[in-house]
Amino acid sequence: MRNKLRFFILCLIAIGTFFRFFNIDKKYYWYDETFTSLRISGYKESEIIKQVATGQILTPQDLQKYQYPTSEKTVFDTIQGLGTEEPQLTPLYFILAHWWGRVFGYSIAAIRSLSAILSLLIFPSIYWLCLELFQSSLTGLLAVGLVAVSPFHVLYAQEARPYSLWTVTILVSTAALLRAIKLKKKRWWVIYTFSLIISLYSHLLTALLALAHAIYILIIEKYRWTKNILRFSVSLAFVGISFFPWIVSILISRQTVSERLNWIDRPINVFSLLISWLINIARGYFDINSNADYGENYFILSPLIILAILVLVAYSLYFLICHTPMRVWLLVMLLIGVIAIPIIIPDLIWGGIRSTKARYLIPCYLGMRLAVSYFLAYKIFALKSKVAQNQGKIITITLIFLGLISCTFSAVSDTWWIKEWGQSNPAIARIINKTKRPLIVSDISDSSYGNLTSLSYLVDSKVRFQLILKPNIPQIPSGFSDIFIYTATVDKPQSEIEQTMNFPLQPIFIDGNKQVWLWKPKK
């Protein structure tokens, strides 16, 4: 049984690895990813806008040249650019990506492959955590297999962003903590300290993970001042000292941080919040893109599948609490609760969409993956009842099948829900590319650099850009077959765009939210 399971898991790992690299450059390079390339290049957005928003005619390559560092740009420019313009993003991933690009190039496939390779480290990391938490290699193997074909983790493995790295550090630091508590050896506390520093420099929300760890060890040690509490306190002190320079950067640029994150305060009703939470939970096992239109069958089957997965997750958490000692279930529940509550509550009280962003809740979803893996492993391997074993096998195979179907749909698509801004860019590019000699005119004033650069990767080399800053009015030269006005940002009324362009417009492309992204001058 064990040998068959190991072989089966190895097959799933091979399939999962294939999906992580297959068509890695097919999905369009979206807003956030263009900023990844901007940061690792060492350029700043402010200096780029001054150079491109002159009203001169530009090629796609003129926009993309700022996505690659010159010999004058170093990794220190990467750190400085982040520290002054996006300090809410901690620098470790971008430093790694900078050096990765120096070796393997800065193409979309090359930059994304760093995340794909980092995502492979999730397999041994979650296996180790399962060993430390459950003392069960079978649970670990099952967790590895389910994560290998999880559409959620495959998607982030193909994103030029730090989330695969963060996932690995969450798992490693948590496993190292359990090991340190168990063995009470200084070297394991050193490993835990180092892993937590790496995690914090991978993502700022590791601060909530550290809080979950602190609550966990306080409860496990029964609020007594023990050696473990002492060493954990020393670890946190070292982590704080190590992270202090970046805290200073955040404090210095706090106005910039506030401006960068003002999008999370967009209003949304509670029902929409709830639906987003539930769908994001299910996406760990089933995801054929809720933003797409697959016809009636999708809208009949998808809610039923999502509901079944939610029931499975909820029951697995209940089962975990009932069948494991407190030191096991407490950690899982803290991973979920301590991270989710501070993100969800502000949205419920003041409004906002931060809790709808699955990437911020990765520790929560990992806790759920652990609970489901334990429940299925228990049914298959711990119970003597053939009926219970078969039930566990059927559920496991079903989850794997759903994951494979989801990954297959995603692999052949040029966009997905994970591309949150500019999802219309592939369709817009197809419209523009059909014309003979097109010119794209756009106002780059409203933080539209990312969407414009994303579009530049999709259009043909014949396409030209003309970018301006308000209140400048574009002087459009002759010689172009078609003039397109690309809004690049949402919620801009037609009157405002017409005032900027100084001529009447007609809409050319309207997305599913009835937002106009592409216009043409009225004849």
Side-chain angles (χ1 to χ4, degrees), residues 79 82-83 86-93 95 166 193-208 210 234-252 257:
I79 297 171
L82 279 169
E86 292 189 278
Q88 77 278 6
L89 300 176
T90 48
L92 179 58
Y93 166 80
I95 294 172
W166 189 37
T193 303
F194 184 64
S195 65
L196 196 61
I197 291 171
I198 292 176
S199 187
L200 198 52
Y201 270 103
S202 300
H203 202 287
L204 196 59
L205 287 178
T206 295
L208 292 178
V234 172
S235 292
L236 279 191
F238 273 108
V239 171
I241 292 170
S242 301
F243 195 65
F244 184 73
W246 204 255
I247 295 175
V248 173
S249 295
I250 294 173
L251 293 175
I252 292 173
V257 174

Side-chain angles (χ1 to χ4, degrees), residues 300-468:
I300 294 173
L301 291 175
S302 183
L304 296 177
I305 295 172
I306 291 172
L307 179 61
I309 291 172
L310 294 174
V311 170
L312 173 64
V313 171
Y315 185 77
S316 296
L317 291 170
Y318 168 77
F319 187 88
L320 186 75
I321 294 172
C322 293
H323 290 81
T324 61
M326 185 178 70
R327 68 162 193 85
V328 175
W329 63 258
L330 178 64
L331 180 64
V332 173
M333 299 308 293
L334 287 173
L335 279 177
I336 297 171
V338 173
I339 282 76
I341 291 172
I343 296 175
I344 289 174
I345 294 300
D347 285 355
L348 291 175
I349 297 176
W350 298 293
I353 59 172
R354 57 183 65 77
S355 63
T356 67
K357 305 306 172 186
R359 60 186 182 271
Y360 296 156
L361 296 166
I362 288 176
C364 306
Y365 304 139
L366 290 175
M368 296 174 189
R369 309 275 190 275
L370 293 171
V372 171
S373 299
Y374 175 80
F375 169 67
L376 294 176
Y378 189 92
K379 283 188 74 71
I380 296 172
F381 304 110
L383 298 178
K384 295 181 179 180
S385 168
K386 286 291 184 181
V387 174
Q389 290 177 4
N390 289 334
Q391 288 174 346
K393 291 176 182 178
I394 290 171
I395 295 172
T396 303
I397 295 299
T398 301
L399 291 179
I400 291 169
F401 175 75
L402 291 174
L404 292 174
I405 292 295
S406 302
C407 290
T408 301
F409 270 87
S410 171
V412 297
S413 173
D414 59 5
T415 185
W416 213 251
W417 63 266
I418 198 172
K419 315 289 185 184
E420 295 175 9
W421 293 344
Q423 288 204 23
S424 300
N425 273 356
I428 290 172
R430 287 191 285 270
I431 293 172
I432 295 172
N433 288 338
K434 290 178 181 178
T435 59
K436 187 176 180 180
R437 184 170 168 75
L439 174 67
I440 301 173
V441 182
S442 184
D443 167 24
I444 200 172
S445 304
D446 299 319
S447 302
S448 56
Y449 165 79
N451 279 336
L452 281 163
T453 306
S454 170
L455 183 63
S456 76
Y457 282 102
L458 297 168
V459 296
D460 296 338
S461 58
K462 65 183 178 183
V463 177
R464 296 294 181 264
F465 290 83
Q466 185 183 38
L467 309 181
I468 62 168

Side-chain angles (χ1 to χ4, degrees), residues 18-27 109 112 158 410-413:
F18 168 79
F19 277 122
R20 281 162 170 78
F21 289 94
F22 179 72
N23 278 345
I24 197 168
D25 59 345
K26 183 176 178 62
K27 292 185 182 66
R112 283 177 173 169
Q158 293 193 337
S410 171
V412 297
S413 173

Side-chain angles (χ1 to χ4, degrees), residues 274-287:
L274 178 62
I275 294 299
S276 294
W277 299 340
L278 298 180
I279 290 176
N280 284 339
I281 291 172
R283 280 171 172 160
Y285 303 99
F286 171 71
D287 174 20

